Amino acid sequence: MKSTSKHIKGIITRCTNYKEADRIFTLISDSGIMNFIARGAKKPKSKLSGHIEPLNYVNLYYRPSKSLNSVSQVESINSFLEIKKEYNLILKAQYMMELSESLSSENEDNSYILSLLIKTLSNIHNSKIPNLDILIYEFEILKYQGFGIRLFDCTNCNKKLERAEHYFSSKAGGFYCGNCFDSKEIHYECIKVSIEQQLLLRTISRKKYMELANLDLREKEIDTCRKLIQNSVRDVIGVQLKTVNFSEL
Amino acid sequence: MTSGNNSLPVEVQKLIIAFSSLPGIGPKTAQRLSYFVLSQNKEETLKLSEALTEVKENLSFCNTCCFITNDKNSDNCGYCYEKDSSQICVVENVIDAITIEMSGIHNGSFHVLHGAISPINGIGPEKLKIEELMKRLNKGETKEIILATNPTLEGEATGMYLNKIISENYTNIKLTRLARGLASGTDLEYSDFNTLSNAFQNRTSIDEIN
């Protein structure tokens, strides 16, 4: 008899308790965002409990359904235990999961985003500058979804940007050259970006990560670059991510 | 007869909407519950109505321990007076405090946070009853804090946050948390990495068990 059960790998992003002992959860998988119900997962003796937790990379077997897919078996592949031991890393991981969720769709190939998320989550606890890993992740995921930032030419006149401070507009999706910035009344929505910060973004965009070690990277430079990306994400998805409000991010 | 709730009397519609606002109750279940209430005799329904009214009129949350109280003085409930305030067990929800209380294993007082830190759901420390806990600690009566948050990602994050702010500001207070590891009756085969890791880290000598 043909089995109707399927299996899929992915990272659990959020869980909600449902009824007496069930849990409903969201999974970022190769096939996009998927929702599942794990019946009885809250019971201490359940074989599913423990595995059904946010930030667990799991392999799960389920019965497809028109409403919620019902989980029959689950095994953890990676629980990212090192991240779960540090408060700040938990916040950063939750931010990355929310970002991935917001830029993923249902029933669409999502393997690149999933592999990028796993790679970044695996690296941040060993990283000297976790925010740099997250910046690379933010930059890559935005670029992959077709919302990459224009770094080399002006978004208004298309002229090549000179080596100078420029203003970034998340609504325009890139930088304004000096002339265009002066001629436009958009000053309130722009962020001033230094030469070093532009260099950092350009190095990331060329995927020359080894060269990052040669840059004078300070927290301030990384934070400003991350702010640009977060504003771009906000404009792309139409809402501010909830995790962005946490100062420890 | 037309379909839909609009054809129903306004009173029934109001009851369906009221039931729908409860967690885990969808529109269909709300309808079923409403028809059940209609079919019940008046005394039974009034009992339910009285119980709901009494809960809201007579009960509130204590401003000190944030547990349920029926005291008019909600600044310091009877429970706060009765219990040993040198040992405070911090829990996420009222139901957690009731479960521990029913087990009879904790003689100290409780502090209910009314939730756990969950950035992905927009719940930060400022939305929990942490300020109230700090006010209690400022009185200087507390010797030990037992962190009894759930062993979930949110519960662990809350525990870590509390550990950070309490250990920074109150060096004389002992901070402990409930043991992590295998639950009785579970199979090793089905345990997740986190549980196994905790069980190995917190393993105890057999002499201690005996």
Side-chain angles (χ1 to χ4, degrees):
Chain A
M1 196 176 137
K2 195 181 171 185
S3 168
T4 54
S5 187
K6 289 185 173 181
H7 88 102
I8 197 156
K9 287 178 185 176
I11 293 181
I12 298 172
T13 54
R14 60 178 85 213
C15 290
T16 315
N17 292 334
Y18 181 66
K19 288 190 177 173
E20 277 291 293
D22 302 345
R23 296 195 96 181
I24 291 174
F25 63 96
T26 307
L27 187 88
I28 292 184
S29 70
D30 281 345
S31 314
I33 297 285
M34 294 176 84
N35 293 310
F36 295 89
I37 183 162
R39 296 189 195 281
K42 271 179 74 186
K43 289 177 186 168
K45 289 184 183 178
S46 165
K47 289 165 186 174
L48 305 174
S49 70
H51 298 283
I52 309 292
E53 265 298 304
L55 200 56
N56 274 7
Y57 179 34
V58 293
N59 183 14
L60 57 89
Y61 293 79
Y62 67 99
R63 285 182 295 277
S65 161
K66 281 179 187 170
S67 53
L68 279 171
N69 302 305
S70 180
V71 177
S72 53
Q73 278 182 57
V74 59
E75 55 184 1
S76 296
I77 301 168
N78 190 346
S79 296
F80 301 105
L81 295 179
E82 298 303 322
I83 294 178
K84 288 176 182 171
K85 285 176 188 166
E86 277 187 56
Y87 178 69
N88 285 353
L89 290 182
I90 291 177
L91 297 191
K92 289 177 199 300
Q94 288 224 326
Y95 164 72
M96 285 195 285
M97 293 195 297
E98 194 186 8
L99 178 62
S100 310
E101 250 187 22
S102 64
L103 291 172
S104 301
S105 312
E106 286 181 29
N107 303 318
E108 271 185 26
D109 178 35
N110 204 41
S111 45
Y112 180 75
I113 291 179
L114 179 65
S115 63
L116 200 63
L117 180 63
I118 293 167
K119 190 180 142 192
T120 315
L121 288 174
S122 307
N123 288 342
I124 55 167
H125 72 273
N126 283 327
S127 173
K128 284 180 188 166
I129 316 170
N131 279 357
L132 181 61
D133 292 76
I134 298 171
L135 173 64
I136 295 171
Y137 174 76
E138 289 166 327
F139 191 91
E140 289 295 328
I141 193 171
L142 210 56
K143 193 174 159 188
Y144 176 75
Q145 292 293 31
F147 303 106
I149 296 169
R150 283 177 70 176
L151 295 168
F152 300 94
D153 46 17
C154 172
T155 48
N156 191 45
C157 67
N158 294 329
K159 278 184 187 164
K160 195 180 171 191
L161 292 172
E162 290 171 9
R163 189 182 161 85
E165 280 184 346
H166 290 294
Y167 285 85
F168 174 83
S169 163
S170 56
K171 286 196 169 60
F175 291 88
Y176 286 115
C177 66
N179 291 338
C180 291
F181 179 73
D182 290 339
S183 66
K184 282 188 172 283
E185 287 182 0
I186 37 132
H187 298 190
Y188 63 94
E189 63 168 44
C190 289
I191 298 174
K192 195 177 177 182
V193 186
S194 69
I195 297 171
E196 291 78 20
Q197 288 158 0
Q198 289 176 58
L199 192 62
L200 170 59
L201 288 171
R202 287 178 182 202
T203 313
I204 292 171
S205 81
R206 290 187 182 117
K207 299 202 175 201
K208 294 188 174 172
Y209 304 132
M210 298 301 281
E211 287 180 16
L212 291 173
N214 302 327
L215 299 179
D216 178 24
L217 293 174
R218 282 167 292 178
E219 282 290 324
K220 191 192 157 200
E221 316 295 349
I222 298 169
D223 288 348
T224 307
C225 291
R226 289 195 58 205
K227 180 94 181 141
L228 307 185
I229 310 252
Q230 283 166 6
N231 285 356
S232 299
V233 171
R234 183 198 59 205
D235 286 341
V236 166
I237 62 172
V239 286
Q240 182 78 278
L241 296 179
K242 286 175 181 168
T243 43
V244 169
N245 299 325
F246 283 74
S247 57
E248 296 91 340
L249 212 61
Chain B
M1 188 180 156
T2 54
S3 62
N5 286 345
N6 290 340
S7 57
L8 296 169
V10 181
E11 291 80 1
V12 181
Q13 285 182 38
K14 273 168 73 179
L15 192 58
I16 292 172
I17 293 168
F19 276 127
S20 308
S21 68
L22 297 173
I25 306 281
K28 282 284 169 198
T29 312
Q31 271 185 16
R32 272 197 293 274
L33 289 172
S34 304
Y35 297 141
F36 175 75
V37 168
L38 279 174
S39 67
Q40 262 188 328
N41 61 43
K42 199 175 175 183
E43 286 77 35
E44 288 296 319
T45 314
L46 284 177
K47 265 188 206 170
L48 176 69
S49 144
E50 270 173 33
L52 286 171
T53 315
E54 279 174 13
V55 159
K56 289 315 284 180
E57 281 183 355
N58 302 341
L59 297 183
S60 60
F61 292 112
C62 169
N63 289 337
T64 305
C65 66
C66 305
F67 196 55
I68 312 165
T69 177
N70 54 8
D71 285 4
K72 294 291 171 212
N73 172 22
S74 57
D75 277 341
N76 225 343
C77 67
Y79 197 76
C80 293
Y81 280 116
E82 275 173 31
K83 295 285 180 176
D84 176 14
S85 61
S86 68
Q87 200 182 46
I88 300 175
C89 178
V90 179
V91 291
E92 284 179 26
N93 298 306
V94 169
I95 195 86
D96 298 336
I98 292 170
T99 309
I100 296 173
E101 179 67 15
M102 280 167 69
S103 72
I105 44 176
H106 173 64
N107 294 321
S109 60
F110 285 97
H111 188 87
V112 185
L113 295 172
H114 291 271
I117 296 172
S118 176
I120 206 161
N121 293 315
I123 303 170
E126 72 287 346
K127 290 190 181 168
L128 307 179
K129 304 286 183 189
I130 294 177
E131 210 182 304
E132 287 80 353
L133 176 64
M134 296 302 127
K135 279 183 194 164
R136 285 179 85 177
L137 300 185
N138 284 338
K139 289 178 187 167
E141 295 167 359
T142 312
K143 288 177 184 157
E144 184 182 359
I145 296 273
I146 303 168
L147 296 175
T149 51
N150 287 322
T152 57
L153 187 69
E154 290 84 5
E156 292 289 347
T158 312
M160 283 177 215
Y161 178 80
L162 287 174
N163 180 27
K164 191 179 150 206
I165 55 164
I166 294 171
S167 56
E168 276 173 9
N169 298 309
Y170 308 92
T171 46
N172 54 340
I173 296 177
K174 186 181 168 190
L175 259 167
T176 55
R177 68 166 199 183
L178 297 188
R180 303 283 191 265
L182 295 167
S184 305
T186 50
D187 288 329
L188 270 178
E189 185 189 352
Y190 297 110
S191 299
D192 62 295
F193 299 150
N194 204 4
T195 308
L196 275 176
S197 161
N198 283 324
F200 267 85
Q201 271 175 18
N202 304 322
R203 68 188 186 275
T204 47
S205 153
I206 290 177
D207 297 340
E208 279 180 48
I209 301 167
N210 297 331

